[in-house]
Amino acid sequence: MRVDVTVSHGDWFNSWGSWGRPSVERILDQLKEAGVQRVPWRTMFGARAQYHSKIETVYWGREGGGGIDRPGNEGTARRSYDLRQWDPLPDAIEAGRERGLEIGAWYPLFEETHFQLDVSRLAREKPECWVETREGRTRRSKLSFAHPATRAHKLGMLTEQLDYNPDYVMLDFYRETQEWEFRRQPSVEVDPSGVSIYGYEPPMRDAFRALHGKDPRELRNDDPVWVDFRVAQNTEFMREAAALVHGRGKRLAVRVRSLRSMALPMPWWVSERYPTDSRRGSFVDWAEWARQGIVDDVVLFMDNWDLFDITAADVWREALDARERMDGKGTLTIGLFMFDMHARSALDACSQLESLADGAQRGGAEGVCLLESNNVHAWGGGIGGGGRKDIGLWSAVHRITRPEWAGLHI
């Protein structure tokens, strides 16, 4: 079974402190050793680019970097993380190809900050792009895809990343809820019916009025026509993005949340106190994107925090549901968060990871994708893990990726 492993270079830097091309090779050597084939490489860390973007500000440390990170957010290591003199993305793509790995440009385009005290350049300079509630309250950490400036900016960032010639692109529509922002923004994300409270910014309202002859503020927030219209704005953007990506001969993947109703269990996402789903809560209908051929790969992340928050049966049901919704189009990968909140043994975690991969395979998924890969490495090995030695969860990854692996017969 295929195992993809995401890489946020800054997270590995915080653990290892290594830098430059050698740090990239060290990460990719570990992944190659474990049998990994595809590596979504992070290109945007909330408010800052992790490549040499000419459109957005490049990531550099808290000292002199505008106080970007919230206090206590790995402050010492973050202060030293300065990408102005070195661009890790071309090294990752080149070193990956040397090792037979597919390196994807993983672009989290649905958030303008990531537990940070600052937002992206676009959000700072164009507050008219901020999403808006029915009452006119705005949120600077999330932008409206109905606004032409937002779409042009995101497509410009995508073009920049395609110019690096990655093997594929993964657009991230999963990350969007930020506890730090909710200290001063509306304290909820969705209404009691599970529909996002946002989408009332002027370009969205004007376009709806032109099509339907009504002001959406006169409708219920969960009115099906109004929900469908907000969904359509993101779908139209995805058509533009797909034209760019497919025009370069690349595959387009999306990282998304479930279309089954659920309430997020993550401790800081209390803002989503009502059950919701990708379509109602985010206006992201990834199943429709797959059915229309807009996207090639769906990377569906489970809403787990700790690795043990879910069972193989949970994963199996999620994969079965996704496969049915996609109507046989595209490929499906089940994403898993790899945190350990209770200091469990690496042996127990290896068994759990194999069990979840088994559930994904039995549900019809082609692979699993592991997020927070530095945690894969650090299980049982403390800071820095064990390099290329058999430590952490790499042994389980290696077993899953072997052609003869047939699951655990759960």
Side-chain angles (χ1 to χ4, degrees):
M1 188 180 196
R2 197 190 75 246
V3 178
D4 304 342
V5 176
T6 66
V7 171
S8 294
H9 182 270
D11 288 343
W12 286 72
F13 172 80
N14 285 335
S15 296
W16 283 352
S18 53
W19 190 247
R21 172 77 176 230
S23 69
V24 171
E25 293 180 343
R26 186 178 183 186
I27 294 168
L28 296 181
D29 281 346
Q30 177 69 77
L31 303 186
K32 177 68 175 179
E33 183 78 10
V36 172
Q37 297 175 358
R38 299 201 313 192
V39 183
W41 191 277
R42 192 173 192 161
T43 60
M44 194 75 184
F45 184 63
R48 297 290 185 269
Q50 290 196 297
Y51 68 97
H52 282 188
S53 173
K54 294 180 173 61
I55 299 175
E56 279 291 348
T57 305
V58 176
Y59 194 103
W60 57 297
R62 209 178 85 186
E63 300 273 335
I68 179 175
D69 284 309
R70 78 181 192 275
N73 186 25
E74 304 164 296
T76 302
R78 293 290 188 203
R79 280 197 293 270
S80 304
Y81 195 63
D82 189 340
L83 294 181
R84 291 173 297 178
Q85 304 303 317
W86 171 58
D87 188 344
L89 186 55
D91 280 348
I93 293 171
E94 181 180 342
R97 291 210 173 106
E98 290 173 356
R99 289 158 176 76
L101 300 173
E102 295 180 45
I103 306 297
W106 165 27
Y107 177 22
L109 78 171
F110 224 36
E111 61 175 11
E112 306 305 312
T113 186
H114 188 73
F115 300 99
Q116 295 161 334
L117 299 176
D118 199 6
V119 292
S120 68
R121 180 185 295 174
L122 175 63
R124 289 196 312 273
E125 295 179 354
K126 291 190 176 295
E128 64 269 24
C129 294
W130 297 354
V131 291
E132 188 173 316
T133 69
R134 176 190 298 270
E135 299 78 19
R137 294 179 296 173
T138 57
R139 174 179 162 191
R140 67 175 194 154
S141 62
K142 188 171 177 60
L143 303 182
S144 172
F145 279 71
H147 202 294
T150 300
R151 295 197 302 272
H153 183 95
K154 301 296 183 182
L155 293 173
M157 293 281 289
L158 180 55
T159 299
E160 279 190 334
Q161 294 170 43
L162 284 167
D163 287 343
Y164 281 82
N165 195 27
D167 293 298
Y168 65 99
V169 170
M170 184 172 79
L171 300 183
D172 192 336
F173 290 91
Y174 184 95
R175 292 192 180 277
E176 58 173 304
T177 310
Q178 298 303 334
E179 180 267 349
W180 201 257
E181 279 294 292
F182 279 117
R183 297 186 180 204
R184 56 183 170 186
Q185 302 291 341
S187 59
V188 295
E189 176 78 10
V190 299
D191 67 14
S193 68
V195 175
S196 172
I197 63 174
Y198 298 104
Y200 291 85
E201 46 281 355
M204 190 83 83
R205 296 200 315 264
D206 293 346
F208 184 84
R209 187 184 297 110
L211 183 63
H212 295 284
K214 297 180 181 179
D215 187 327
R217 290 173 294 188
E218 300 171 359
L219 305 175
R220 289 173 52 93
N221 185 51
D222 62 353
D223 183 284
V225 176
W226 176 223
V227 172
D228 289 349
F229 184 82
R230 287 177 283 180
V231 170
Q233 307 312 303
N234 288 335
T235 298
E236 286 304 311
F237 168 80
M238 282 302 297
R239 287 196 178 94
E240 296 179 77
L244 269 179
V245 175
H246 293 154
R248 300 286 188 100
K250 308 295 183 182
R251 292 181 67 84
L252 177 58
V254 285
R255 179 181 178 231
V256 293
R257 301 166 59 187
S258 176
L259 281 168
R260 301 169 72 215
S261 182
M262 63 176 60
L264 290 178
M266 296 192 181
W268 52 74
W269 286 5
V270 292
S271 54
E272 289 195 2
R273 61 193 62 167
Y274 306 111
T276 186
D277 57 59
S278 177
R279 193 178 193 276
R280 293 180 301 145
S282 306
F283 305 132
V284 169
D285 192 348
W286 48 263
E288 182 65 22
W289 299 350
R291 290 193 298 267
Q292 292 187 24
I294 296 172
V295 302
D296 307 296
D297 307 308
V298 172
V299 186
L300 173 56
F301 262 76
M302 301 295 294
D303 279 318
N304 68 301
W305 175 237
D306 188 279
L307 183 62
F308 286 76
D309 281 344
I310 51 177
T311 68
D314 296 327
V315 174
W316 171 70
R317 281 190 290 266
E318 192 68 66
L320 281 177
D321 179 78
R323 269 290 174 219
E324 183 176 355
R325 292 176 188 271
M326 293 165 66
D327 195 24
K329 305 297 194 302
T331 67
L332 174 66
T333 302
I334 296 295
L336 307 169
F337 282 86
M338 297 301 300
F339 286 111
D340 172 24
M341 307 304 292
H342 302 285
R344 299 179 183 87
S345 72
L347 179 62
D348 289 342
C350 284
S351 297
Q352 173 72 352
L353 180 57
E354 283 199 72
S355 175
L356 299 180
D358 193 9
Q361 179 173 259
R362 292 174 187 275
E366 283 84 2
V368 293
C369 180
L370 311 184
L371 188 81
E372 307 292 355
S373 55
N374 52 312
N375 290 283
V376 180
H377 191 75
W379 277 81
I383 293 178
R388 293 172 64 186
K389 298 178 181 177
D390 186 9
I391 199 167
L393 305 191
W394 294 119
S395 60
V397 174
H398 197 193
R399 285 193 295 276
I400 295 167
T401 59
R402 289 174 180 166
E404 64 271 19
W405 185 77
L408 296 179
H409 303 289
I410 55 175

